[in-house]
Amino acid sequence: MSRDGRNCFVLTGGPGSGKSTLIEALGSVGFRTVPEAGRSIIREQVAISGRALPWIDPALFAEMMLSRDLQSYERHAGHQEVVFFDRGLPDVMGYLRLLDLPIPDHVRKAVDLHRYHPCVFICPPWPAIFTQDRERKQTREEAELTYEAMIRVYSDCGYRLVEVPRAVVDDRRQFILDAISGELCGSAPIPRC
């Protein structure tokens, strides 16, 4: 059974758009934060020569992300404090769609049962800060396609997307804090897919 996710705010977007830096900035001022599952899964799988890697077995990688994201949601939903998630369960659906992989029924059910705050923050592609590294192998073009996939999946699931402006991290953090306390993300019913 899922819990109430009204206090759970998702930051999504393509890789290299500053999401993780923004999540860290929110954590630095005392908010609960949940890091992106994908990066830790990649680090762990590389260390053990595992197969759950996006460049080896993307479907298995998606299953592992689903499992981690469900655990994170259950750990944080229902609390009184605001929690910021670096990606949410709909990102798993978006990832599968992006790769033209089938979306299993259990993934759809997880996304439908575990709802976040209806206001989802999306970081647009930002070529000036985009970099690749050992865990982020996507090209800038793939990052842009990921961004577009996240727009579609969150919109399809009834979330209201709020684009985070390209700005220094302190300004981005303030934009989000103003949005969650103001009319931009005011109280709205939790949407359903």
Side-chain angles (χ1 to χ4, degrees), residues 139-158:
T139 65
R140 214 171 10 162
E141 292 76 22
E142 290 169 323
E144 290 174 8
L145 290 172
T146 301
Y147 167 75
E148 292 166 10
M150 295 313 144
I151 288 174
R152 282 191 301 277
V153 75
Y154 278 94
S155 295
D156 290 350
C157 289

PDB file of all heavy atoms in Angstrom, residues 139-158:
ATOM      1  N   THR A 139      25.173  11.255 -24.608  1.00  0.00           N
ATOM      2  CA  THR A 139      25.588  12.451 -25.345  1.00  0.00           C
ATOM      3  C   THR A 139      24.627  13.591 -25.001  1.00  0.00           C
ATOM      4  O   THR A 139      23.572  13.377 -24.393  1.00  0.00           O
ATOM      5  CB  THR A 139      25.535  12.199 -26.858  1.00  0.00           C
ATOM      6  OG1 THR A 139      24.171  11.972 -27.236  1.00  0.00           O
ATOM      7  CG2 THR A 139      26.416  11.015 -27.262  1.00  0.00           C
ATOM      8  N   ARG A 140      24.976  14.785 -25.424  1.00  0.00           N
ATOM      9  CA  ARG A 140      24.095  15.926 -25.214  1.00  0.00           C
ATOM     10  C   ARG A 140      22.749  15.709 -25.911  1.00  0.00           C
ATOM     11  O   ARG A 140      21.700  16.059 -25.390  1.00  0.00           O
ATOM     12  CB  ARG A 140      24.760  17.200 -25.718  1.00  0.00           C
ATOM     13  CG  ARG A 140      24.396  18.380 -24.875  1.00  0.00           C
ATOM     14  CD  ARG A 140      25.161  19.615 -25.157  1.00  0.00           C
ATOM     15  NE  ARG A 140      25.999  19.587 -26.344  1.00  0.00           N
ATOM     16  CZ  ARG A 140      26.469  20.645 -26.926  1.00  0.00           C
ATOM     17  NH1 ARG A 140      26.205  21.833 -26.457  1.00  0.00           N
ATOM     18  NH2 ARG A 140      27.235  20.566 -27.982  1.00  0.00           N
ATOM     19  N   GLU A 141      22.789  15.111 -27.100  1.00  0.00           N
ATOM     20  CA  GLU A 141      21.551  14.833 -27.828  1.00  0.00           C
ATOM     21  C   GLU A 141      20.686  13.828 -27.064  1.00  0.00           C
ATOM     22  O   GLU A 141      19.460  13.984 -26.985  1.00  0.00           O
ATOM     23  CB  GLU A 141      21.865  14.299 -29.240  1.00  0.00           C
ATOM     24  CG  GLU A 141      22.503  15.321 -30.156  1.00  0.00           C
ATOM     25  CD  GLU A 141      23.992  15.574 -29.851  1.00  0.00           C
ATOM     26  OE1 GLU A 141      24.666  14.715 -29.229  1.00  0.00           O
ATOM     27  OE2 GLU A 141      24.476  16.664 -30.217  1.00  0.00           O
ATOM     28  N   GLU A 142      21.300  12.797 -26.504  1.00  0.00           N
ATOM     29  CA  GLU A 142      20.548  11.819 -25.703  1.00  0.00           C
ATOM     30  C   GLU A 142      19.975  12.468 -24.442  1.00  0.00           C
ATOM     31  O   GLU A 142      18.860  12.133 -24.017  1.00  0.00           O
ATOM     32  CB  GLU A 142      21.436  10.633 -25.334  1.00  0.00           C
ATOM     33  CG  GLU A 142      21.789   9.753 -26.519  1.00  0.00           C
ATOM     34  CD  GLU A 142      22.878   8.741 -26.214  1.00  0.00           C
ATOM     35  OE1 GLU A 142      23.831   9.065 -25.462  1.00  0.00           O
ATOM     36  OE2 GLU A 142      22.773   7.613 -26.731  1.00  0.00           O
ATOM     37  N   ALA A 143      20.718  13.398 -23.861  1.00  0.00           N
ATOM     38  CA  ALA A 143      20.212  14.110 -22.678  1.00  0.00           C
ATOM     39  C   ALA A 143      18.975  14.924 -23.038  1.00  0.00           C
ATOM     40  O   ALA A 143      18.002  14.972 -22.269  1.00  0.00           O
ATOM     41  CB  ALA A 143      21.306  15.008 -22.104  1.00  0.00           C
ATOM     42  N   GLU A 144      18.978  15.541 -24.212  1.00  0.00           N
ATOM     43  CA  GLU A 144      17.814  16.311 -24.656  1.00  0.00           C
ATOM     44  C   GLU A 144      16.612  15.406 -24.920  1.00  0.00           C
ATOM     45  O   GLU A 144      15.476  15.750 -24.586  1.00  0.00           O
ATOM     46  CB  GLU A 144      18.168  17.134 -25.891  1.00  0.00           C
ATOM     47  CG  GLU A 144      19.114  18.281 -25.560  1.00  0.00           C
ATOM     48  CD  GLU A 144      19.616  19.035 -26.774  1.00  0.00           C
ATOM     49  OE1 GLU A 144      19.113  18.785 -27.901  1.00  0.00           O
ATOM     50  OE2 GLU A 144      20.520  19.874 -26.612  1.00  0.00           O
ATOM     51  N   LEU A 145      16.864  14.235 -25.488  1.00  0.00           N
ATOM     52  CA  LEU A 145      15.775  13.275 -25.714  1.00  0.00           C
ATOM     53  C   LEU A 145      15.206  12.778 -24.384  1.00  0.00           C
ATOM     54  O   LEU A 145      13.993  12.566 -24.255  1.00  0.00           O
ATOM     55  CB  LEU A 145      16.266  12.102 -26.567  1.00  0.00           C
ATOM     56  CG  LEU A 145      16.566  12.420 -28.027  1.00  0.00           C
ATOM     57  CD1 LEU A 145      17.237  11.227 -28.715  1.00  0.00           C
ATOM     58  CD2 LEU A 145      15.298  12.834 -28.764  1.00  0.00           C
ATOM     59  N   THR A 146      16.078  12.608 -23.398  1.00  0.00           N
ATOM     60  CA  THR A 146      15.625  12.195 -22.065  1.00  0.00           C
ATOM     61  C   THR A 146      14.725  13.270 -21.467  1.00  0.00           C
ATOM     62  O   THR A 146      13.664  12.967 -20.906  1.00  0.00           O
ATOM     63  CB  THR A 146      16.828  11.919 -21.145  1.00  0.00           C
ATOM     64  OG1 THR A 146      17.641  10.893 -21.734  1.00  0.00           O
ATOM     65  CG2 THR A 146      16.381  11.479 -19.761  1.00  0.00           C
ATOM     66  N   TYR A 147      15.129  14.505 -21.578  1.00  0.00           N
ATOM     67  CA  TYR A 147      14.323  15.629 -21.097  1.00  0.00           C
ATOM     68  C   TYR A 147      12.931  15.596 -21.728  1.00  0.00           C
ATOM     69  O   TYR A 147      11.915  15.698 -21.041  1.00  0.00           O
ATOM     70  CB  TYR A 147      15.060  16.936 -21.428  1.00  0.00           C
ATOM     71  CG  TYR A 147      14.243  18.190 -21.286  1.00  0.00           C
ATOM     72  CD1 TYR A 147      13.939  18.723 -20.031  1.00  0.00           C
ATOM     73  CD2 TYR A 147      13.784  18.864 -22.413  1.00  0.00           C
ATOM     74  CE1 TYR A 147      13.190  19.888 -19.912  1.00  0.00           C
ATOM     75  CE2 TYR A 147      13.044  20.035 -22.298  1.00  0.00           C
ATOM     76  CZ  TYR A 147      12.750  20.537 -21.040  1.00  0.00           C
ATOM     77  OH  TYR A 147      12.015  21.686 -20.929  1.00  0.00           O
ATOM     78  N   GLU A 148      12.878  15.422 -23.046  1.00  0.00           N
ATOM     79  CA  GLU A 148      11.590  15.372 -23.743  1.00  0.00           C
ATOM     80  C   GLU A 148      10.757  14.174 -23.295  1.00  0.00           C
ATOM     81  O   GLU A 148       9.533  14.282 -23.140  1.00  0.00           O
ATOM     82  CB  GLU A 148      11.825  15.342 -25.255  1.00  0.00           C
ATOM     83  CG  GLU A 148      12.396  16.649 -25.781  1.00  0.00           C
ATOM     84  CD  GLU A 148      12.947  16.548 -27.199  1.00  0.00           C
ATOM     85  OE1 GLU A 148      12.723  15.517 -27.866  1.00  0.00           O
ATOM     86  OE2 GLU A 148      13.602  17.516 -27.622  1.00  0.00           O
ATOM     87  N   ALA A 149      11.420  13.032 -23.057  1.00  0.00           N
ATOM     88  CA  ALA A 149      10.702  11.841 -22.575  1.00  0.00           C
ATOM     89  C   ALA A 149      10.105  12.090 -21.195  1.00  0.00           C
ATOM     90  O   ALA A 149       8.990  11.639 -20.901  1.00  0.00           O
ATOM     91  CB  ALA A 149      11.637  10.638 -22.551  1.00  0.00           C
ATOM     92  N   MET A 150      10.830  12.809 -20.339  1.00  0.00           N
ATOM     93  CA  MET A 150      10.314  13.089 -18.990  1.00  0.00           C
ATOM     94  C   MET A 150       9.133  14.060 -19.044  1.00  0.00           C
ATOM     95  O   MET A 150       8.184  13.916 -18.277  1.00  0.00           O
ATOM     96  CB  MET A 150      11.427  13.617 -18.085  1.00  0.00           C
ATOM     97  CG  MET A 150      12.531  12.604 -17.820  1.00  0.00           C
ATOM     98  SD  MET A 150      11.926  10.975 -17.371  1.00  0.00           S
ATOM     99  CE  MET A 150      13.128   9.926 -18.165  1.00  0.00           C
ATOM    100  N   ILE A 151       9.179  15.014 -19.963  1.00  0.00           N
ATOM    101  CA  ILE A 151       8.031  15.902 -20.129  1.00  0.00           C
ATOM    102  C   ILE A 151       6.794  15.073 -20.474  1.00  0.00           C
ATOM    103  O   ILE A 151       5.725  15.247 -19.881  1.00  0.00           O
ATOM    104  CB  ILE A 151       8.298  16.964 -21.228  1.00  0.00           C
ATOM    105  CG1 ILE A 151       9.299  18.001 -20.734  1.00  0.00           C
ATOM    106  CG2 ILE A 151       6.984  17.645 -21.646  1.00  0.00           C
ATOM    107  CD1 ILE A 151       9.719  19.004 -21.803  1.00  0.00           C
ATOM    108  N   ARG A 152       6.949  14.156 -21.429  1.00  0.00           N
ATOM    109  CA  ARG A 152       5.805  13.349 -21.867  1.00  0.00           C
ATOM    110  C   ARG A 152       5.289  12.451 -20.752  1.00  0.00           C
ATOM    111  O   ARG A 152       4.074  12.405 -20.508  1.00  0.00           O
ATOM    112  CB  ARG A 152       6.190  12.513 -23.090  1.00  0.00           C
ATOM    113  CG  ARG A 152       6.209  13.312 -24.381  1.00  0.00           C
ATOM    114  CD  ARG A 152       6.339  12.431 -25.605  1.00  0.00           C
ATOM    115  NE  ARG A 152       7.544  11.617 -25.603  1.00  0.00           N
ATOM    116  CZ  ARG A 152       8.748  12.042 -26.002  1.00  0.00           C
ATOM    117  NH1 ARG A 152       8.912  13.264 -26.421  1.00  0.00           N
ATOM    118  NH2 ARG A 152       9.783  11.225 -25.971  1.00  0.00           N
ATOM    119  N   VAL A 153       6.181  11.740 -20.068  1.00  0.00           N
ATOM    120  CA  VAL A 153       5.696  10.766 -19.087  1.00  0.00           C
ATOM    121  C   VAL A 153       5.052  11.447 -17.890  1.00  0.00           C
ATOM    122  O   VAL A 153       3.996  11.020 -17.411  1.00  0.00           O
ATOM    123  CB  VAL A 153       6.808   9.768 -18.669  1.00  0.00           C
ATOM    124  CG1 VAL A 153       7.828  10.389 -17.727  1.00  0.00           C
ATOM    125  CG2 VAL A 153       6.193   8.528 -18.024  1.00  0.00           C
ATOM    126  N   TYR A 154       5.643  12.513 -17.379  1.00  0.00           N
ATOM    127  CA  TYR A 154       5.038  13.198 -16.231  1.00  0.00           C
ATOM    128  C   TYR A 154       3.723  13.868 -16.633  1.00  0.00           C
ATOM    129  O   TYR A 154       2.757  13.852 -15.866  1.00  0.00           O
ATOM    130  CB  TYR A 154       6.015  14.194 -15.597  1.00  0.00           C
ATOM    131  CG  TYR A 154       6.973  13.524 -14.648  1.00  0.00           C
ATOM    132  CD1 TYR A 154       8.227  13.102 -15.061  1.00  0.00           C
ATOM    133  CD2 TYR A 154       6.614  13.286 -13.319  1.00  0.00           C
ATOM    134  CE1 TYR A 154       9.101  12.473 -14.186  1.00  0.00           C
ATOM    135  CE2 TYR A 154       7.483  12.656 -12.432  1.00  0.00           C
ATOM    136  CZ  TYR A 154       8.723  12.252 -12.875  1.00  0.00           C
ATOM    137  OH  TYR A 154       9.585  11.620 -12.002  1.00  0.00           O
ATOM    138  N   SER A 155       3.664  14.423 -17.833  1.00  0.00           N
ATOM    139  CA  SER A 155       2.415  15.018 -18.313  1.00  0.00           C
ATOM    140  C   SER A 155       1.342  13.944 -18.474  1.00  0.00           C
ATOM    141  O   SER A 155       0.190  14.137 -18.061  1.00  0.00           O
ATOM    142  CB  SER A 155       2.637  15.736 -19.646  1.00  0.00           C
ATOM    143  OG  SER A 155       3.512  16.828 -19.472  1.00  0.00           O
ATOM    144  N   ASP A 156       1.714  12.812 -19.061  1.00  0.00           N
ATOM    145  CA  ASP A 156       0.764  11.702 -19.236  1.00  0.00           C
ATOM    146  C   ASP A 156       0.221  11.210 -17.896  1.00  0.00           C
ATOM    147  O   ASP A 156      -0.907  10.728 -17.821  1.00  0.00           O
ATOM    148  CB  ASP A 156       1.418  10.527 -19.963  1.00  0.00           C
ATOM    149  CG  ASP A 156       1.699  10.809 -21.433  1.00  0.00           C
ATOM    150  OD1 ASP A 156       1.223  11.842 -21.958  1.00  0.00           O
ATOM    151  OD2 ASP A 156       2.414   9.988 -22.055  1.00  0.00           O
ATOM    152  N   CYS A 157       1.033  11.315 -16.857  1.00  0.00           N
ATOM    153  CA  CYS A 157       0.616  10.856 -15.530  1.00  0.00           C
ATOM    154  C   CYS A 157      -0.110  11.946 -14.738  1.00  0.00           C
ATOM    155  O   CYS A 157      -0.441  11.752 -13.568  1.00  0.00           O
ATOM    156  CB  CYS A 157       1.820  10.343 -14.751  1.00  0.00           C
ATOM    157  SG  CYS A 157       2.451   8.775 -15.388  1.00  0.00           S
ATOM    158  N   GLY A 158      -0.361  13.091 -15.353  1.00  0.00           N
ATOM    159  CA  GLY A 158      -1.159  14.126 -14.730  1.00  0.00           C
ATOM    160  C   GLY A 158      -0.418  15.097 -13.833  1.00  0.00           C
ATOM    161  O   GLY A 158      -1.052  15.883 -13.124  1.00  0.00           O
TER     162      GLY A 158
END
